[in-house]
Every structure is written in structure tokens, then in C-alpha cells.
Amino acid sequence: MKVQFRGVTRKFFFAIFALCLLIVFTMHWGIRLSFEQGFIGYIRQSNELRTSLIAQALTEQYQQIGNWTFLHHNGRAVTQIINSLEQANDLPVQSSTKSWRTQVWIVDHNMTRLSGRGILPTASQDIIQKPVKYHNQIVGWVISNAADKISREADINFDRQQHITSSLVTMFSLLVALITSLLLARNFLKPIKHILEGTHQLTAGNFAVRVRISSRDELGQLAKDFNQLASTLEKNEHMRRDYMADISHELRTPLAILRGELEAIQDGVRPLSVTTLHSLLAETNRLTKLVNDLHQLSLSDRGSLVYRKKNINLVQQIELAINSYHGRFTDKKITLNITLPSVVTLYADPDRLAQLWHNLLENSLLYTHSAGSLRIQGYVSQQRFYLIWQDSAPGLLVDQYPFIFERFYRVESSRNRANGGSGLGLAICYNIVEAHGGKIIAQASSLGGVKISIEFPLDDNHKSPNV
């Protein structure tokens, strides 16, 4: 994806570049100031050293002669002394005093000038002044300017060259900062650009979009969360489409039967008899049950079911539900084997749990073969109530058990909707158990059918006698 230089990228670039610009110019100014101050200090120390060397040389000359006559009418005497000092101290040889950083004056003890041109500096000015002694008596002075600025042409050229070099380095640093800031802005914000484009695709309805996770930092976590969100939305979209397709299919079947029956009666193909009315009523009841189940499931899915919980005897409620189905199980010759504690107190909604038992009993009654069996066992362990619900054949394939609590899940076996189920009963059971903080799972039963295990957490005040 092409990253355009605009928006956040531009702001981020200018922020980084402005910071680099401030740092580079601050360093340039600091280095320049440090160089000038250090260079002037170096010049001052050099002038002071040379002035001291000249004063020492003049002292030796004065001690040999005893007066200043060696300077009278000898303008090159000082130059010769300076050249000899430069050669002796490995200093660059200069042709004249003009090449010195500062001008040198020599005066006697009465401050009468003996050598040097121009106006003699006064003591009030910033000068370097070294004495010339004879028998511990000051007989003269060597005076030079302190040089608080760069005045010598060579020094000026050197300073100019350093300034040009420093400016070039600064410009090169700014160029590097410009390129680096641009690359940082583009590369750092590239994952955000990918997430932004992915968000646009999500809003357009493309839930299959995913972004590449390129790091393990906060941006990487953001990309991971985005992919998780997209995956959830994609799954929900598929579920919604399947849900609508299943609903339309489930409603189409009884409606088609009702329409066919009514058209047959209208055309005189079938007579309007008690048998026909029973068939129409059966299809109407099936359609009504399906609509009611859909309504209950939609309420439980969005959490709109009202749960009026109170302390109830869970065992007594299960037994009442079983007794209401006892006749129907007898008619189908299904043997009931019930093993429950006498009392188990649970804080729950009795109406919703009654619906849970009703759906489970209806499921076993519809799908279990005649002359089969239903075994219900309950026990308490570690502050939890366990209910094991097992029926006989037919069973399911191993890979089908994790999906039987999904709405309208179809299985290619004798346990299908042709037996009269809506395919929503177990989905409603799952939501009811979950709303009470419990768990429900399905497995293969040792009886040949389906084993449904339900687990409810119990309060500390529950009663749990021995089974």
C-alpha cells in the first residue's frame, strides 16, 4: 500500500524534523561558541608565552651589556630575538613582527619606548606586560595586547575555515535528519495506515480483511486485536446469514404444508374432515412452537430474558418435570432410571429451569428409539451440583457433539428435525445454564445415545444430603 505524505504522517514528520533541527542548531551554536572561546584562549596563552620568552631573552641581553644600547639604532634586534626564540621552541618562523598575533613594545623602567610602532597601550587596557630585570631591579618592560579577539590573518582564515566546515557538517546533519524523519514517519505510521484501511473495509462490510502483525509492541497488539475483531464480525455475519437461512427454511416447511392442505381443500381434492383439521392443527402447532422457540432464543441471546431467582429445591423441580412426561415415556416404552439426592438448594429462576428440563425431556423423548432408556443421575461435589442426562440409541458422530448447542445445527443421522424438533431447544438450554453460571456439555453416552452433563455452582447455604 502506498503511504501518502499527509495527515498524521506529515505531522509526525514535522515533529521529528523540528526536534532534529533544534538539536542540530543547538549543537552547532554550542560547538561554535566553544571553539571561538577556546581558540581565543589559546591565542592569549600563546601571546603570553611568547611575551615571557622575549622578556627572558632581553633580560639575558641586558645582563651582558648592562644597558639598552643594544636596541638603539638596531631595529632588527627584536626581530632577530623573535626568530631565534621560534627556532629554539619549534615555533613557525615569522619574517617580521607583523606576522605576530599582537604587536610587541619594549619600554624602559620610565616607560620610555625603546621598540615598537604605533600608539603605546596604557595599563588600563587589556595588555600583557612582562618585566626585564637586572640585579633584581626592573629595568624595562615587554608589552603586548592580550588579544581578546581573533585579529591575525592566519587565525582569521583558520577560524573562517572552521566555520565553513561546521556549517557544512550542520547542513549534512540536517539532510540526514530530513531523510531519517521522513523514513521514520512513513515506517512508524505504516501499521496504523494498514489498520486504518482495514477499518474502512470493515465499515464497508468486508469482514474478511486482516492486517499484518509486524511487531510485538502496542501497535502489534492493536493489529492483533483488529484481526480478532474482524474475525468475530466475520463469524457473526456468517452466523446471521445462516440463522436467517435456517429460519426461512424452518418456516417454509410448515407454511408449505398448510398452503398445500388448504389449496387441496379449496380445489376439492381433499374433503374438509376431522382428519384434515387435525393435520392442519398439527402443522399450526409446529409453526407456533417454532416461532415461540425463536422468540425465546432471541431473548436469551441478547440477555433480555428476565430471571427471577430465588432459593428452590432443584431435585423437587426435576422430579415434577419428569412426572409430567412419565405417561409419554411409558407410551413409547422408554425406561426411566432416576437417581437424585433428596434436597439440593439452588438460587435460580424456577420457570427458566422448568423450561430447561422440559427441553431436555422433549429432546430425549423425540429422538430416543422405542423400548430405549433414559438415565438421570445427580450428585453434589465440592459446592457444585452435577446432573448427568443419558439416553439410549441413536447417538451422534464424535465430531458432531461440540455443535449440537448451536441453533439449527443439522446432523445426518436419525436425530434430525423430521422427528418434530425445531433445532432450537438445546440452544435455549445452553443459554439458560450459562445465565445461572453453570456449564453444559454433550458427549457420547455409554447407553448408545447422547450424554449431557450439566454443572451448577451452589451457595454455601445449600442443603446436600447423601444420595
Side-chain angles (χ1 to χ4, degrees):
M1 183 184 69
K2 184 179 180 180
V3 182
Q4 298 182 354
F5 187 65
R6 63 180 185 180
V8 178
T9 305
R10 181 175 56 192
K11 294 178 181 179
F12 193 69
F13 162 74
F14 281 119
I16 298 177
F17 184 66
L19 179 61
C20 294
L21 194 67
L22 178 63
I23 294 175
V24 169
F25 274 110
T26 301
M27 291 181 61
H28 173 71
W29 176 80
I31 293 174
R32 181 65 186 168
L33 182 63
S34 176
F35 169 77
E36 290 183 352
Q37 295 298 323
F39 192 48
I40 291 175
Y42 163 75
I43 294 175
R44 183 184 182 95
Q45 292 178 0
S46 180
N47 287 338
E48 187 170 357
L49 174 61
R50 294 185 183 223
T51 304
S52 298
L53 292 175
I54 294 173
Q56 182 178 355
L58 290 175
T59 299
E60 294 175 356
Q61 290 285 340
Y62 194 94
Q63 289 178 352
Q64 293 177 5
I65 300 176
N67 53 51
W68 292 106
T69 56
F70 63 93
L71 290 180
H72 295 163
H73 308 293
N74 189 3
R76 297 184 57 85
V78 176
T79 301
Q80 293 173 355
I81 293 174
I82 293 174
N83 290 337
S84 62
L85 289 175
E86 289 176 343
Q87 294 176 358
N89 293 275
D90 293 330
L91 298 174
V93 179
Q94 307 294 338
S95 60
S96 66
T97 56
K98 291 183 180 180
S99 64
W100 273 76
R101 303 175 187 275
T102 56
Q103 191 174 359
V104 177
W105 293 271
I106 300 174
V107 298
D108 59 13
H109 65 284
N110 294 321
M111 300 303 292
T112 301
R113 177 164 40 187
L114 301 175
S115 177
R117 299 179 181 181
I119 302 175
L120 184 67
T122 60
S124 60
Q125 297 175 341
D126 190 6
I127 61 174
I128 298 174
Q129 184 173 322
K130 299 296 181 179
V132 178
K133 296 183 178 180
Y134 180 71
H135 297 312
N136 294 327
Q137 296 292 327
I138 296 177
V139 296
W141 299 89
V142 179
I143 301 173
S144 65
N145 289 321
D148 57 352
K149 62 180 180 179
I150 302 174
S151 57
R152 182 171 173 252
E153 184 177 355
D155 295 335
I156 293 175
N157 292 334
F158 177 73
D159 177 70
R160 186 183 297 113
Q161 184 63 38
Q162 292 298 314
H163 181 71
I164 294 174
T165 303
S166 178
S167 299
L168 291 176
V169 172
T170 300
M171 293 176 62
F172 178 75
S173 300
L174 289 179
L175 179 62
V176 173
L178 177 66
I179 298 174
T180 304
S181 300
L182 179 60
L183 294 177
L184 283 176
R186 291 167 65 96
N187 294 332
F188 182 77
L189 295 177
K190 187 178 294 184
I192 299 180
K193 293 289 186 180
H194 290 164
I195 296 175
L196 180 61
E197 182 176 342
T199 304
H200 291 163
Q201 295 188 34
L202 279 183
T203 57
N206 180 17
F207 301 126
V209 63
R210 299 292 186 273
V211 297
R212 184 172 62 90
I213 301 175
S214 57
S215 62
R216 297 183 179 180
D217 54 8
E218 288 81 358
L219 292 178
Q221 184 62 41
L222 179 61
K224 182 178 179 181
D225 293 342
F226 174 86
N227 290 339
Q228 183 65 34
L229 173 63
S231 177
T232 302
L233 291 175
E234 184 180 22
K235 180 181 178 181
N236 290 340
E237 177 64 16
H238 290 164
M239 291 177 61
R240 184 188 67 82
R241 292 178 180 178
D242 294 341
Y243 190 28
M244 296 303 297
D246 290 337
I247 290 175
S248 62
H249 176 77
E250 294 298 328
L251 292 176
R252 189 184 299 115
T253 301
L255 288 175
I257 294 175
L258 285 173
R259 181 177 179 178
E261 293 281 354
L262 292 174
E263 288 178 349
I265 294 173
Q266 185 181 29
D267 296 338
V269 177
R270 294 189 60 178
L272 181 60
S273 61
V274 176
T275 303
T276 305
L277 289 176
H278 279 307
S279 176
L280 293 174
L281 183 60
E283 292 300 327
T284 304
N285 290 335
R286 180 182 177 188
L287 185 60
T288 301
K289 183 178 185 303
L290 176 60
V291 173
N292 290 335
D293 287 346
L294 285 172
H295 178 66
Q296 291 292 325
L297 183 62
S298 64
L299 290 178
S300 61
D301 278 345
R302 69 183 185 181
S304 299
L305 280 178
V306 178
Y307 287 85
R308 297 179 175 88
K309 296 182 179 181
K310 61 182 179 179
N311 288 325
I312 61 173
N313 184 354
L314 190 59
V315 175
Q316 183 181 12
Q317 192 190 50
I318 297 175
E319 291 175 344
L320 289 175
I322 295 174
N323 290 334
S324 66
Y325 274 78
H326 194 275
R328 297 176 63 186
F329 278 100
T330 301
D331 294 339
K332 201 172 179 180
K333 299 180 180 180
I334 297 177
T335 303
L336 297 177
N337 186 354
I338 312 299
T339 306
L340 295 171
S342 58
V343 178
V344 174
T345 303
L346 180 67
Y347 185 70
D349 186 329
D351 295 331
R352 299 305 171 197
L353 289 186
Q355 185 179 8
L356 170 65
W357 314 134
H358 168 79
N359 289 346
L360 291 177
L361 288 167
E362 192 73 28
N363 188 72
S364 296
L365 181 64
L366 289 174
Y367 297 131
T368 305
H369 288 167
S370 298
S373 62
L374 172 63
R375 180 188 300 169
I376 302 175
Q377 296 174 306
Y379 63 93
V380 175
S381 176
Q382 297 181 352
Q383 295 297 105
R384 305 188 78 83
F385 174 71
Y386 296 91
L387 183 67
I388 311 301
W389 197 289
Q390 301 185 75
D391 55 26
S392 57
L396 303 176
L397 299 177
V398 176
D399 57 351
Q400 292 176 337
Y401 286 102
F403 304 101
I404 68 172
F405 295 107
E406 295 183 3
R407 63 193 67 150
F408 296 121
Y409 179 69
R410 295 182 179 276
V411 294
E412 296 299 327
S413 70
S414 59
R415 287 177 173 265
N416 54 49
R417 219 155 286 123
N419 291 330
S422 65
L424 299 175
L426 291 180
I428 295 175
C429 292
Y430 182 87
N431 290 340
I432 293 176
V433 172
E434 189 179 56
H436 287 81
K439 297 179 182 179
I440 181 171
I441 59 174
Q443 297 169 310
S445 171
S446 59
L447 302 179
V450 177
K451 173 184 176 182
I452 295 179
S453 302
I454 301 176
E455 175 185 341
F456 284 120
L458 300 176
D459 295 333
D460 295 335
N461 298 327
H462 82 280
K463 299 178 180 179
S464 55
N466 295 329
V467 176

